[in-house]
Amino acid sequence: MVVKNIFLCALLSILVMSSSWAQESSSSSASAAAPNKELEVALGITAIEKLDFDFNSKVSVANEQLLKLRVIPAKREIEFIGLKPGKTTAIIRDNVGDVRLIYTVAVTATGKSNEVSELRELIGDVEGLEIGIKGGKVFVGGEIVVPEDIGRVSKVLASYPGVLTLIELSPQTQRVIARKMSDELAKNNLKDVTVRVVNKTYWLEGVVSNEEKKKLALIIAKAYLPPKIMSIASGESRFATPEQSDIIDFIAVNEKKEPQPAPKMVKITSQFVELSKSYGKIFAFKWAPLMGQDGSQIAFGQTAAGNLTAKAGDGTLSATISNLFPKLNAAKSAGYARVIQSAMIIVRDQQKGNIKKNTSIPYAIGTGDFTKATSASVGITMDVQPRILEQEKVEMPLNIEVSLGDGGTPPRTTQNSINTNLVVKSKESAAIGGIVQNSSSTSYDNTGNDPAPTTSSGGATTSGSGGGSPLFRLFRSKDYKTEKSQYVIFVTPEIIESATAGTEEIRRKFRRRE
C-alpha cells in the first residue's frame, strides 16, 4: 500500500512539471510568433498607429528617454513621439497579457525636427501654442492667451523665417483687455465710456463733457493695446506694434458745464486725558509714660506733723503709671484717577464748528438766614475752523476748554484750555498740548494734634490724654506725601465725502440697534 502511494505522488509531480513546461513553451512560442514591425519617427513629428485588436494600456518601452507613447484604447490608437535620436522597441500586449505586436522604432533627427526641438525649448511653454511639422513644413499655430507672450513669440520667430506662423490672439484675451480698459477709464472719472471688441478691434462708446476727456480716453485705451498680430492673409510679417487704428472712436462730446463737486467734510475728534496720582507714607514713634493723679505718690519714710522722718525702711513707695509701653503709628495711602473727555464734530471745509457740553453742579454757601444757592459748571467746549490742504493734510485753528470738578461740597473745579493752530494729516493723531505737575513734601517730628500739658489746681503739670505728669517724652515721626497730575489733549482729523461716513462708528460706540 505504501509503495502504491509513493507511485501516485511521483506521477502527480511529473504531470505538474509537464504542465508548466507546456505553458512556458506556449508563451515563448507566442512571443516568437508575435509580428515585429519597424517604424521610423522623426523628431517633432507624431506618428499614429491604428491596431485591429484590443490592447493593454500598459505598453512597455525599452528606452523611455528616446520614445514616448500616448495610448488611446477607446480608438485602438497609439501615438509615437520621438524625444531623442536613437533606436528602441515597444511591446504591445492584449488584455489577456499575450504579446501581440513588437515595434522596432528608429527616432531620427532631421533639419526640420531640430527646428521643432529648438522652438519647443524657446516658446513651448507659451499657453495655447502648438509646434510641429505638417506637409513637410515646420509650423507654429494656436491662439495666444496671455498678451505679454506676443512680444516673446515674435522675437523668437524672427530668427526662423522659414517657419509657418498660424498664430492668432484669443478672443477671450481681447475681452479681458477690453475689461481692463473699462476699469481704467472708470478710475479716471470716465464712467460713461465703455469698451467692447468687434471684429478684433476695440470700440470706444459713450459720452464725455469735453474734448480733453475724449483725448484722455483714447490715450488710456491705447496704453492697454498689446503687440499686434496681423491676419494670416496679410503676408509674411505677422507681428507689428499697436496702432491707433486698432481703436475705433465712437465717443460723443456733450459740451455742458459740469456741476461743482460737493465740498468735502472734515471729522475732528479730540480727546482730553487727565491722570492724577497721590501717595502718602507716615511713621511715628511715641513714648510718654504718665504718673496718675488718684492720690498715689512716691515717698520715703513717714511724715508726722509735716516733718519727714529719717528712718529708712519705715517708708512706703506707691505710684500708678499709664502709657508705660511706647506707641507706633505707620500707614500708607495711595490714590489713582483718570478722567477722559472726548468731543467729535463734523464740519464743512473752511467753515466754523463749535461743540459744547456743560454740567451744572449746585451747592449752598453761608449758614442760617445768609444761605445762598449757587452752582459750578464743568464740561468741554471745542471751537474749530478746518481747511483742507494738499496731500490730505488739514489745517486746524483750535480752541479747547475743559473744566473738571473734584466731587466735593462745595466743588472745586479745575480749568484746562488750549488755543493753537496746527496741521495734521488725515486719519493721523497728534498730541497738541499738555501740562505735568509734581509736588512732594516731607515733615519730621510733627506732633500734630497731640494735647498740650495742663496745670492742675494744686500746681502739678498733667497731660491732656492721661491726666498726669509724664515721666519723660520720646517722639519721632516722618510724614512723606507726593502728588502728580498731568493732562494731555489729542486731536485726529479725517477727510470724508459725506457726513454719513461717521455714522457707523457712532452707532458702534453707543451700541445702537436698528
Side-chain angles (χ1 to χ4, degrees):
M1 186 69 179
V2 175
V3 175
K4 185 177 179 180
N5 290 336
I6 293 173
F7 177 75
L8 290 175
C9 291
L11 181 60
L12 181 61
S13 62
I14 292 172
L15 291 175
V16 171
M17 292 176 61
S18 62
S19 176
S20 61
W21 289 342
Q23 290 179 358
E24 291 179 0
S25 61
S26 62
S27 176
S28 60
S29 61
S31 300
N36 192 332
K37 186 175 180 181
E38 295 185 357
L39 180 64
E40 182 176 350
V41 178
L43 288 176
I45 301 177
T46 301
I48 300 176
E49 288 288 314
K50 191 170 183 63
L51 307 180
D52 57 355
F53 60 90
D54 294 333
F55 58 90
N56 194 327
S57 59
K58 296 182 179 179
V59 180
S60 60
V61 179
N63 191 347
E64 295 182 351
Q65 295 181 353
L66 303 180
L67 184 67
K68 177 183 177 182
L69 298 185
R70 186 182 295 118
V71 297
I72 308 173
K75 294 186 178 181
R76 294 184 178 181
E77 291 180 353
I78 300 179
E79 296 181 357
F80 293 81
I81 303 171
L83 302 177
K84 291 183 179 180
K87 196 171 185 179
T88 184
T89 58
I91 299 176
I92 313 299
R93 297 177 180 271
D94 57 17
N95 294 328
V96 180
D98 295 336
V99 178
R100 297 292 299 274
L101 187 60
I102 300 176
Y103 281 97
T104 302
V105 184
V107 182
T108 60
T110 62
K112 294 180 180 179
S113 60
N114 288 335
E115 282 188 1
V116 172
S117 299
E118 293 174 0
L119 290 172
R120 285 180 176 173
E121 184 177 356
L122 294 172
I123 58 175
D125 58 340
V126 176
E127 185 179 358
L129 289 189
E130 180 184 0
I131 304 172
I133 301 176
K134 286 185 179 180
K137 292 184 178 181
V138 179
F139 78 98
V140 178
E143 294 181 346
I144 294 182
V145 178
V146 182
E148 288 77 7
D149 292 334
I150 297 176
R152 175 184 167 190
V153 173
S154 63
K155 187 71 174 178
V156 171
L157 293 181
S159 302
Y160 296 87
V163 175
L164 182 61
T165 304
L166 303 175
I167 299 175
E168 298 286 346
L169 186 62
S170 172
Q172 179 63 27
T173 303
Q174 289 182 305
R175 287 191 288 269
V176 172
I177 295 173
R179 186 164 57 250
K180 290 183 178 180
M181 291 180 181
S182 299
D183 294 341
E184 191 64 32
L185 290 170
K187 291 179 181 179
N188 286 270
N189 294 325
L190 298 172
K191 299 180 181 179
D192 295 331
V193 180
T194 59
V195 184
R196 63 190 179 110
V197 180
V198 179
N199 196 20
K200 298 184 179 181
T201 58
Y202 300 92
W203 286 16
L204 268 65
E205 301 170 322
V207 179
V208 293
S209 59
N210 52 56
E211 288 289 339
E212 295 298 328
K213 290 190 175 182
K214 181 177 181 179
K215 292 179 181 179
L216 178 61
L218 293 174
I219 293 173
I220 292 174
K222 187 177 180 180
Y224 277 87
L225 284 178
K228 187 177 181 180
I229 300 179
M230 307 297 291
S231 63
I232 298 177
S234 62
E236 296 182 358
S237 180
R238 300 277 323 281
F239 298 94
T241 56
E243 300 176 356
Q244 190 71 32
S245 59
D246 296 331
I247 299 176
I248 299 179
D249 177 18
F250 292 106
I251 300 176
V253 179
N254 185 10
E255 294 283 353
K256 63 179 181 179
K257 186 177 180 180
E258 295 185 355
Q260 292 293 332
K264 292 186 177 181
M265 314 291 287
V266 182
K267 181 175 71 173
I268 300 174
T269 305
S270 65
Q271 283 92 19
F272 171 86
V273 182
E274 183 182 46
L275 179 66
S276 61
K277 297 180 180 179
S278 62
Y279 176 76
K281 180 179 180 182
I282 183 172
F283 176 81
F285 175 88
K286 182 179 180 181
W287 192 14
L290 304 176
M291 189 165 56
Q293 294 180 336
D294 54 355
S296 61
Q297 61 180 345
I298 298 177
F300 296 95
Q302 295 181 351
T303 58
N307 297 322
L308 182 67
T309 63
K311 290 182 179 181
D314 293 336
T316 61
L317 174 63
S318 64
T320 301
I321 300 177
S322 59
N323 295 336
L324 180 61
F325 298 100
K327 296 181 179 180
L328 297 178
N329 184 14
K332 293 181 181 180
S333 62
Y336 170 86
R338 185 175 65 174
V339 179
I340 298 178
Q341 292 273 9
S342 180
M344 185 192 73
I345 186 172
I346 299 177
V347 297
R348 290 174 53 182
D349 182 24
Q350 302 184 20
Q351 297 293 322
K352 289 184 178 181
N354 173 271
I355 187 170
K356 185 176 182 180
K357 174 187 175 294
N358 280 337
T359 301
S360 182
I361 304 175
Y363 64 95
I365 58 175
T367 58
D369 296 337
F370 300 97
T371 303
K372 180 180 179 182
T374 184
S375 63
S377 180
V378 296
I380 183 172
T381 302
M382 181 175 67
D383 297 317
V384 65
Q385 186 176 356
R387 184 166 69 93
I388 299 175
L389 305 178
E390 296 180 353
Q391 299 178 353
E392 294 188 347
K393 294 182 180 180
V394 181
E395 180 185 8
M396 294 177 294
L398 273 171
N399 182 21
I400 300 177
E401 295 182 358
V402 180
S403 57
L404 302 173
D406 62 350
T409 303
R412 184 179 61 180
T413 60
T414 303
Q415 300 290 332
N416 306 277
S417 63
I418 186 170
N419 192 345
T420 183
N421 191 348
L422 68 159
V423 176
V424 183
K425 192 173 183 180
S426 177
K427 296 184 180 181
E428 293 186 357
S429 299
I432 63 174
I435 294 177
V436 178
Q437 180 178 353
N438 293 327
S439 63
S440 61
S441 63
T442 305
S443 59
Y444 298 92
D445 299 337
N446 185 8
T447 59
N449 296 324
D450 190 31
T454 60
T455 303
S456 65
S457 61
T461 301
T462 61
S463 173
S465 60
S469 176
L471 298 177
F472 58 86
R473 287 178 178 273
L474 179 60
F475 181 79
R476 291 290 183 269
S477 69
K478 180 180 179 181
D479 188 1
Y480 174 75
K481 295 180 180 180
T482 179
E483 294 182 354
K484 180 179 181 180
S485 64
Q486 59 181 348
Y487 85 88
V488 65
I489 296 177
F490 298 91
V491 64
T492 306
E494 181 181 356
I495 301 174
I496 58 179
E497 297 293 336
S498 172
T500 58
T503 304
E504 293 299 328
E505 181 181 356
I506 296 174
R507 287 181 177 177
R508 185 173 65 254
K509 286 185 177 181
F510 290 92
R511 300 174 183 264
R512 178 180 175 182
R513 297 182 178 179
E514 293 291 347

